[in-house]
Amino acid sequence: MKKITIAIDGYSSTGKSTLAKQLAQHLGYVYVDTGAMYRAVTFFAMQKGYINSESFDKESLINGLPFIDLQFHFNSELGFGEMFLNDTNIEAAIRTIEVSNFVSKIAEVSKVRAKLVEQQQRMGSSKGIVMDGRDIGTVVFPKAELKIFMTASSATRAKRRYDELQSKNQNVSYEAVLKNVEERDYIDTHREDSPLRKAGDAVEIDNSDLTREQQFKAVLALFKAVIKTF
């Protein structure tokens, strides 16, 4: 069967990664979490002191980009690739609210985006890939055969993210998570370089009231419809 590129874009906490992992596992495709890549660069910037609540030293971050090596190492127990930064597993470290608070600002930097988009395009050059992020269908793979754009109400997304953080014993309030979601939405949709937007040929899915299984079945049906055209 011919392999295709599946691009999944959308707002934060819409479950893009969950859906992408499900699809990749079901289809035997490679899964790439581009959000993890931006989170890894954010974690690097935080560790180096380039960004905090009071300042952001963009030039130092840009100068440090050549020293950032990002790799996904597949974990058979988890069923997906974990994020490694310079040979160190940072998968858990990049999923905190602290990283979430800065990741959209890091993603605004054009040279950061250029570095990561180049890597992402190289990863998907042979197709048979499911990639999720903010600009996959519009910038990274504008010719992807299947494009999905995911959305849900900010309150729904904040509740999902809050529950996830609570399950990991991270002490954070729902109000703080909701504020983070809304701030990220604004930054992601208003940045000059590759803003979050729905590609003209993407299928929009509002999963505010969908279960994961309902969502998966809907997207799998779209995949099957696309494959039939080849």
Side-chain angles (χ1 to χ4, degrees):
M1 181 184 293
K2 179 181 174 66
K3 290 188 175 182
I4 66 171
T5 298
I6 302 175
I8 302 178
D9 292 306
Y11 293 92
S12 66
S13 301
T14 48
K16 297 185 300 296
S17 296
T18 297
L19 173 62
K21 289 174 188 175
Q22 283 180 302
L23 279 173
Q25 185 174 30
H26 183 82
L27 301 174
Y29 277 26
V30 174
Y31 163 62
V32 176
D33 178 2
T34 65
M37 298 173 73
Y38 284 100
R39 283 177 172 272
V41 176
T42 302
F43 181 77
F44 174 85
M46 292 169 66
Q47 291 294 296
K48 293 293 185 180
Y50 299 154
I51 190 169
N52 54 51
S53 59
E54 298 178 352
S55 63
F56 180 14
D57 186 349
K58 293 183 181 179
E59 282 304 311
S60 291
L61 172 59
I62 291 170
N63 292 335
L65 289 177
F67 305 102
I68 297 177
D69 176 52
L70 303 180
Q71 294 184 23
F72 288 99
H73 291 189
F74 186 75
N75 184 319
S76 58
E77 293 183 3
L78 295 176
F80 63 86
E82 295 182 289
M83 187 79 256
F84 277 67
L85 167 64
N86 297 334
D87 296 322
T88 299
N89 187 332
I90 59 168
E91 183 64 31
I94 63 175
R95 304 300 177 180
T96 65
I97 190 67
E98 288 77 18
V99 171
S100 295
N101 285 336
F102 296 125
V103 66
S104 289
K105 292 182 180 179
I106 295 293
E108 283 187 292
V109 181
S110 294
K111 291 190 176 180
V112 170
R113 301 198 70 83
K115 176 185 176 72
L116 298 191
V117 167
E118 180 183 5
Q119 290 186 21
Q120 292 155 13
Q121 291 175 330
R122 191 162 57 245
M123 291 175 180
S125 60
S126 299
K127 294 188 177 291
I129 192 167
V130 184
M131 191 174 290
D132 73 278
R134 301 289 193 281
D135 63 350
I136 311 306
T138 54
V139 176
V140 183
F141 294 116
K143 294 184 179 180
E145 291 85 351
L146 176 58
K147 300 178 185 179
I148 306 295
F149 188 85
M150 297 174 65
T151 185
S153 69
S154 57
T156 296
R157 291 183 284 127
K159 181 62 166 59
R160 291 172 181 167
R161 181 66 174 148
Y162 172 75
D163 289 344
E164 178 186 359
L165 293 172
Q166 289 293 300
S167 70
K168 296 177 180 178
N169 297 316
Q170 293 190 33
N171 185 23
V172 61
S173 69
Y174 168 79
E175 289 74 21
V177 176
L178 177 60
K179 179 181 179 182
N180 172 255
V181 165
E182 293 174 338
E183 288 179 345
R184 289 182 66 186
D185 285 353
Y186 183 84
I187 294 173
D188 290 344
T189 55
H190 287 77
R191 62 177 177 237
E192 291 186 11
D193 189 349
S194 307
L196 170 64
R197 62 181 178 82
K198 175 187 171 185
D201 54 348
V203 178
E204 182 170 327
I205 295 179
D206 185 330
N207 63 14
S208 298
D209 300 311
L210 295 179
T211 65
R212 289 183 178 180
E213 186 61 24
Q214 289 172 329
Q215 174 179 265
F216 176 70
K217 287 182 177 179
V219 175
L220 187 59
L222 292 172
F223 168 80
K224 291 178 178 178
V226 169
I227 287 296
K228 286 181 179 179
T229 65
F230 292 101

